[in-house]
Amino acid sequence: MCIEPLVVLLLSGATGSATTDDFERAVAPLLESRCLACHSAATAKGGLSLESRAEALRGGKSGEAAFVAGDPDASALIAAIEPRVTADGARKARMPKSGAPLAAGEVALLRDWIAAGAPWPDERRLVDRSADAAFAARCDWWSLKPIAAVEAPSSASLPALSAAQLALGIEPPRNELDLFVRAKLVEAGLEPSPPADPRTLIRRVTWDLSGLPPAPEEVAAFVADAALDHDGAWSRLVDRLLESPRYGERFARHWLDLVHFGETHGFDKDKPRRHAWPYRDWVIESLNADLPYADFVARQLAADVVAPEDPAAVRALGFLAAGPWDYVGHVELREGTVDKAITRLLDRDDVVTNVMSTFASTTVHCARCHDHKFDAIGQRDYYALQAVFAGVERADREYDTDPAVAARRTQLLAERAAFEPEAAHGRSRESLGWHGEIAAAADTTQWVAVDLGSAQTLDEVALVPAHESYGGWPGPGFGFPARFVVEASERGDFSDARRLHDATAADVANPGDTPLLLDARGAPLRAVRVTAMKLWQRTGDFAFALGELACFADGRNVAAGAAVIASSSIEAPPRWAAANLTDGSTWHGAIDLAVGDAVRDAASGDATWRDRITARARLDAALAELPPLQRVYAATARFKPEGAFTPSATPREIHVLARGDVKAPLALAEPGALRCVAPLAAAFDLPADAPESARRAALAAWLIDPRQPLTWRSIVNRVWQWHFGRGLVDTPNDFGHMGAAPSHPELLDWLTRWFLQQGGSLKALHRLIVTSATYRQQSQGDAKARAADGTNRLLARMGRTRLDAEQLRDGLLSMAGRLELVGPDGARGGPSQQHFVFKDDHSPIYDYANFAVDDPAARRRAIDRFTVRSVPDPWLDSLDCPDASLLAPKRNVTITALQALALLNNPFVIRQCEHLAARLELERPGDVAAQIERLFELALGRRPAANESAALADHAATHGLAAACRVVVNLDEFLFVD
């Protein structure tokens, strides 16, 4: 807003003792950050610009100057910014109109400057830096500050446990974590709860760390062990659970929620991803192996760079491809359209959102259309992150599992690279060869011939297969006929035809890229003809194609440039044309026309064409002997094209977009990260010719830097949430200004530093938490704590949690004795199990209703099921299993009538209860009371009371034992963990 009224005064020059340096050091930054947002030449509210001395003296619309050198009291600038008593008796300043008023020291600074003569060089123009000032202010936020070196409260600083507390069995602090929690409780006038009983504790920690119920034998053994050595028994139990393969399966479920992992594309054509599962298995294996968290993060962004010694680590790149993907936009939309550009923008947005929400708990995606409205994240930061991923798409990526095999394959591929046209000749082969018309039947006869113009003494004839690497075709051997004959003619009209090769007796195997070399025996020949009697099958039709037909006489390809005639020809240059058959260009390189006594490659000049063919065939054979490559759906720069979905040779250009509009590109974005994390450089110092993978590696290094406050606080908060139901920060994906503040900020920083000191060991962090007295508390709490802290933010008790959908499913299978933890081959993991009937279609159909609940696929853990985005599993969905298209840092927990119906009447529940009843009858034959007792031990970890046993026995007598099982699995005591 303008400063009105302004005092009209002419200034004759600067006076006083202030210097230009004083102006540059203090006054100019203040004016630029607090005044020029409204009073620059571009905005000039009230007609006033403060960009230069002359404009300030010219004043606003009234023509009055902004200040009077030497007289601050006569200066309108001071009058506008100094607080004055208003009509309502309050003291307020008129300016600035928005934001906080200037501090008293800032007003005094401007007063002193004017009193000293207001020195301001005539040529000096100010720049609006209000945005920079606001950005700096937003950077002053708890999550962006360095991780503090916090000391845990001393035991001596806490009041000793009273006799009453000791009588209740309240434990003293067991580790530093407890000291922080107890200190907060003392501040609030609350006290901790006693520890839960051994049966409750083993049930709690087993469900928590494995996602499965403890077996009755495990409960009995722990109770007996705890009676002799309580602390030792608890430590041994925790260690056993952390070392179990079930631990990785359980916490991988949390992680896959977080990264919105799914095995279909989503959107309207929700096609399956048959090779997404290796990423899931990698997460499980990494958690079980306790891969340091820095490596866990870095490999999911750049495994191909940071773990080259482990070829199977590329499975981790499935993280970047975990989210939904628009098949129509990528595959079917034409290149160069606005919609195609929007598709790619939104696809990269999903990747950036996943990376920064998962690892850094930031809402970077809010800056796609404008600077973040609340946090210190600018549009340029957002598009710098998009530029990191401008060189990759989502597709199947091949990998080896054995490092020795991978090394051998790398060596062979490097040797073969010399024979690839792009590598050997520095240019791609756009000329693919000759292609006959598409035929509806395989037994269609087609032919193509080369006329040399005159008879030549031929030594050899070569038929070079076409290599169609576009449009999703398999590349080598495209169109090579299954049955054919090669004839030669001295006259040229084939009235004297003689056969050089007869392949009509049986189908010929596809030769790949290996040419067929035929001995011409030095005969004088003018024309060569190839006649196909059985064509190559494309998909539902048939074709005949050749890449090159070469005729060698005295070491020269005399067919180069020769006339080509054919029964038909698809003329679609530069790729397909009759002339391409004799243009001297092959997949193996160009054939030199004037070398003399040797047919040499035009690029290398040192290997004969035959030598290259032989070497290529040898390498191809060696590669074929290696074990087949595995595939993972992941981020990759090289993939088999499909429709309009093709790889880019170099990373695509990324521009900052005005209001996120692809039609309004602004400055080119360079790969980088967030400027608000002060200790770390946001710009990546990468050479211009760096591979795209270097961008991802640079972001990984930025995220895992030990000085990075966001990444390390984020994972510590998540692990806390996974154990207590809510994090120390209750908005796990938003550590910004609109997120929640930490309930225990000192504890969060102490835990973060401790985690770093442990080398980022997640198992160590789990162990610290679950061995604390805080975790071992009862869940009931006392009336005072419930009244003062109803949501239990201060942790005066343990939170009561409901089993999630997967725990319920796996728990039912486990109790029924039907759970299979490994596949038929004895290994865990592998391709996901379909719990639906699948029908491939234009838009695939996923039918859960007709899937047999006793199908062997239904016996594996829920972590191994095939996750569909558009059609979620109805039973799991009713139990709050999250939508795989959305990031789910924290699951919803609802209690609905639909859940009760699902737990009573769903065919899966009914069938598992029947299996459970059969197990009880097998283990406790003929004794209903013993069966009910075993049922309680399996489901609840305890024996039934007399009245419970009697009631269930009566129910079983009337409705059957399976019905009694359904009653127990619907009890709150089963569904909730204390």
Side-chain angles (χ1 to χ4, degrees):
M1 305 298 288
C2 65
I3 300 178
E4 294 287 357
L6 292 175
V7 179
V8 181
L9 289 171
L10 294 177
L11 301 180
S12 57
T15 62
S17 60
T19 66
T20 299
D21 288 345
D22 296 327
F23 174 78
E24 291 291 352
R25 184 178 63 255
V27 177
L30 178 58
L31 294 175
E32 288 180 326
S33 63
R34 299 306 310 275
C35 302
L36 263 71
C38 296
H39 296 291
S40 66
T43 53
K45 297 293 180 68
L48 174 64
S49 170
L50 296 177
E51 277 194 9
S52 69
R53 181 185 185 85
E55 289 169 320
L57 296 181
R58 186 163 57 244
K61 292 177 181 178
S62 64
E64 296 175 324
F67 54 80
V68 179
D71 191 352
D73 289 328
S75 297
L77 175 61
I78 300 301
I81 62 175
E82 276 192 329
R84 296 285 191 270
V85 178
T86 61
D88 59 2
R91 284 178 57 82
K92 294 181 181 177
R94 289 190 294 114
M95 298 293 160
K97 285 290 188 183
S98 61
L102 269 65
E106 293 172 324
V107 174
L109 172 68
L110 292 176
R111 270 188 159 277
D112 292 345
W113 170 66
I114 293 173
W120 185 342
D122 291 337
E123 70 280 3
R124 175 68 160 94
R125 294 193 67 84
L126 303 186
V127 177
D128 177 13
R129 303 193 189 280
S130 56
D132 293 340
F135 184 86
R138 291 178 178 182
C139 287
D140 185 21
W141 188 243
W142 70 265
S143 62
L144 300 175
K145 293 178 180 178
I147 303 162
V150 181
E151 292 291 334
S154 66
S155 299
S157 67
L158 300 176
L161 293 176
S162 67
Q165 290 174 322
L166 291 171
L168 289 172
I170 293 176
E171 294 184 302
R174 298 173 61 88
N175 56 35
E176 292 88 345
L177 182 160
D178 293 324
L179 295 172
F180 284 101
V181 173
R182 295 287 173 90
K184 282 285 186 182
L185 290 175
V186 169
E187 288 178 16
L190 301 176
E191 61 182 42
S193 297
D197 64 88
R199 289 182 183 274
T200 298
L201 285 176
I202 186 174
R203 187 169 188 264
R204 175 190 299 171
V205 77
T206 306
W207 276 115
D208 193 6
L209 292 181
S210 73
L212 294 169
E217 296 73 22
E218 293 171 340
V219 175
F222 173 71
V223 170
D225 195 13
L228 300 173
D229 177 15
H230 190 277
D231 288 350
W234 182 249
S235 294
R236 289 188 290 273
L237 170 61
V238 169
D239 288 343
R240 174 175 65 80
L241 291 169
L242 288 174
E243 290 306 312
S244 167
R246 313 289 81 81
Y247 156 78
E249 294 164 359
R250 174 59 185 157
F251 284 95
R253 181 64 266 161
H254 288 308
W255 189 260
L256 298 182
D257 279 4
L258 189 59
V259 305
H260 66 341
F261 171 79
E263 293 174 90
T264 61
H265 289 325
F267 293 94
D268 51 344
K269 287 191 178 179
D270 194 20
K271 293 184 177 294
R273 298 173 178 172
R274 295 299 181 189
H275 302 100
W277 61 268
Y279 169 67
R280 176 206 67 210
D281 280 4
W282 178 85
V283 173
I284 294 172
E285 293 165 16
S286 298
L287 293 174
N288 277 330
D290 201 19
L291 184 70
Y293 188 67
D295 294 336
F296 187 68
V297 173
R299 294 188 183 198
Q300 292 182 74
L301 292 173
D304 46 342
V305 179
V306 302
E309 76 289 348
D310 180 6
V314 300
R315 294 176 297 163
L317 297 177
F319 163 78
L320 295 174
W325 187 78
D326 186 354
Y327 179 89
V328 172
H330 284 286
V331 175
E332 298 181 0
L333 284 182
R334 182 169 52 85
E335 194 67 55
T337 62
V338 170
D339 285 347
K340 189 75 168 184
I342 292 172
T343 296
R344 287 202 177 107
L345 170 68
L346 296 179
D347 191 59
R348 286 190 302 269
D349 177 76
D350 178 78
V351 174
V352 169
T353 299
N354 197 16
V355 170
M356 298 306 291
S357 296
T358 298
F359 297 129
S361 296
T362 58
T363 55
V364 167
H365 48 287
C366 294
R368 190 175 84 206
C369 301
H370 47 69
D371 288 349
H372 201 294
K373 293 295 186 183
F374 306 103
D375 297 336
I377 302 170
Q379 257 196 305
R380 71 185 243 200
D381 298 330
Y382 170 81
Y383 285 100
L385 288 164
Q386 277 225 3
V388 171
F389 304 105
V392 291
E393 302 283 358
R394 313 189 205 194
D396 283 345
R397 181 173 185 143
E398 295 180 327
Y399 68 96
D400 280 301
T401 56
D402 185 337
V405 171
R408 174 63 174 158
R409 193 185 305 275
T410 299
Q411 176 192 354
L412 293 173
L413 289 173
E415 292 178 23
R416 197 179 72 170
F419 303 104
E420 303 294 343
E422 291 83 356
H425 313 289
R427 61 189 179 93
S428 63
R429 288 290 183 262
E430 293 182 344
S431 165
L432 301 181
W434 165 83
H435 193 323
E437 294 288 349
I438 302 299
D443 58 357
T444 303
T445 298
Q446 291 187 359
W447 58 268
V448 63
V450 171
D451 188 342
L452 304 178
S454 61
Q456 305 280 339
T457 303
L458 298 187
D459 302 312
E460 194 171 52
V461 172
L463 303 186
V464 183
H467 189 111
E468 163 64 288
S469 57
Y470 300 91
W473 299 112
F478 178 88
F480 202 86
R483 299 193 184 196
F484 63 97
V485 64
V486 182
E487 299 170 297
S489 169
E490 182 178 356
R491 296 174 186 169
D493 59 3
F494 293 98
S495 60
D496 59 343
R498 64 186 183 87
R499 292 195 171 186
L500 298 181
H501 185 72
D502 188 336
T504 59
D507 286 359
V508 174
N510 189 309
D513 286 324
T514 303
L516 176 63
L517 302 177
L518 305 176
D519 188 356
R521 302 177 184 273
L525 299 171
R526 173 176 173 171
V528 176
R529 181 173 66 191
V530 183
T531 304
M533 289 81 170
K534 185 175 183 181
L535 307 186
W536 178 79
Q537 183 173 356
R538 289 199 326 163
T539 48
D541 50 29
F542 302 87
F544 174 25
L546 285 175
E548 188 78 7
L549 196 157
C551 299
F552 299 109
D554 196 24
R556 297 179 66 249
N557 178 20
V558 295
V564 176
I565 53 176
S567 57
S568 64
S569 178
I570 291 178
E571 295 296 311
R575 298 169 68 217
W576 297 111
N580 289 354
L581 190 65
T582 57
D583 64 357
S585 176
T586 77
W587 178 252
H588 305 277
I591 301 174
D592 196 343
L593 307 183
V595 177
D597 60 355
V599 181
R600 299 185 182 278
D601 178 84
S604 66
D606 60 1
T608 68
W609 193 65
R610 181 190 290 274
D611 290 341
R612 293 177 65 80
I613 294 171
T614 304
R616 173 66 183 260
R618 175 181 58 79
L619 292 169
D620 285 345
L623 284 165
E625 292 175 357
L626 296 177
L629 285 159
Q630 305 298 307
R631 287 189 285 173
V632 57
Y633 188 79
T636 180
R638 299 182 64 184
F639 52 89
K640 180 180 176 181
E642 182 180 5
F645 182 52
T646 58
S648 176
T650 58
R652 293 183 170 90
E653 285 191 348
I654 303 297
H655 291 263
V656 177
L657 302 178
R659 301 198 63 77
D661 186 354
V662 297
K663 301 187 297 298
L666 301 174
L668 189 67
E670 296 294 336
L674 304 183
R675 291 169 291 146
C676 58
V677 183
L680 307 176
F684 298 158
D685 186 17
L686 298 173
D689 60 348
E692 71 78 22
S693 56
R695 302 181 178 200
R696 294 182 281 111
L699 178 59
W702 184 85
L703 281 167
I704 65 174
D705 190 294
R707 298 168 296 168
Q708 169 62 260
L710 293 169
T711 303
W712 299 102
R713 284 187 177 117
S714 175
I715 185 59
V716 165
N717 186 65
R718 293 192 194 283
V719 174
W720 186 276
Q721 173 194 303
W722 293 337
H723 287 297
F724 289 102
R726 62 194 303 186
L728 295 168
V729 182
D730 208 13
T731 51
N733 269 23
D734 187 1
F735 279 10
H737 288 254
M738 297 302 289
S743 60
H744 297 69
E746 297 84 3
L747 172 56
L748 178 59
D749 274 11
W750 183 89
L751 275 175
T752 303
R753 279 191 169 271
W754 183 90
F755 182 60
L756 278 163
Q757 291 163 0
Q758 302 303 310
S761 167
L762 287 168
K763 285 189 177 182
L765 183 57
H766 289 300
R767 185 178 290 106
L768 179 74
I769 290 173
V770 301
T771 56
S772 68
T774 303
Y775 180 86
R776 288 156 51 97
Q777 295 178 109
Q778 295 176 0
S779 61
Q780 290 84 357
D782 59 29
K784 182 180 179 181
R786 289 195 298 272
D789 182 25
T791 62
N792 196 35
R793 287 301 279 147
L794 299 180
L795 294 167
R797 58 183 173 84
M798 184 60 182
R800 194 174 190 232
T801 59
R802 196 193 70 185
L803 297 178
D804 63 34
E806 289 87 349
Q807 286 175 312
L808 282 169
R809 185 185 179 283
D810 295 349
L812 287 172
L813 284 167
S814 176
M815 291 188 301
R818 303 282 291 175
L819 183 64
E820 291 185 353
L821 298 171
V822 296
D825 59 354
R828 73 132 280 104
S832 296
Q833 306 298 305
Q834 294 184 179
H835 296 171
F836 49 79
V837 176
F838 176 72
K839 180 180 179 182
D840 201 359
D841 203 345
H842 182 70
S843 292
I845 296 171
Y846 303 93
D847 180 6
Y848 293 90
N850 290 310
F851 176 73
V853 294
D854 269 344
D855 189 290
R859 299 182 63 172
R860 297 286 293 276
R861 286 200 75 169
I863 189 72
D864 292 326
R865 74 184 178 93
F866 194 98
T867 307
V868 181
R869 296 188 196 277
S870 61
V871 189
D873 183 299
W875 187 71
L876 295 176
D877 188 46
S878 72
L879 295 166
D880 300 320
C881 196
D883 183 344
S885 293
L886 304 175
L887 302 179
K890 186 164 60 173
R891 288 195 179 190
N892 292 327
V893 179
T894 62
I895 299 176
T896 67
L898 182 61
Q899 292 168 354
L901 292 170
L903 287 166
L904 272 173
N905 302 322
N906 183 271
F908 172 78
V909 178
I910 292 173
R911 189 62 179 137
Q912 299 319 309
C913 286
E914 291 170 351
H915 288 305
L916 175 55
R919 174 183 181 177
L920 298 175
E921 289 168 349
L922 180 66
E923 294 181 1
R924 303 290 189 271
D927 189 339
V928 175
Q931 291 166 358
I932 299 300
E933 180 178 289
R934 182 64 171 169
L935 171 61
F936 266 64
E937 290 174 341
L938 287 166
L940 308 179
R942 66 173 179 86
R943 293 179 178 178
N947 60 333
E948 293 172 325
S949 182
L952 274 180
D954 289 344
H955 190 77
T958 304
H959 303 287
L961 186 57
C965 294
R966 287 167 66 196
V967 170
V968 171
V969 301
N970 276 271
L971 293 174
D972 276 359
E973 188 178 349
F974 174 69
L975 298 175
F976 288 83
V977 178
D978 284 324

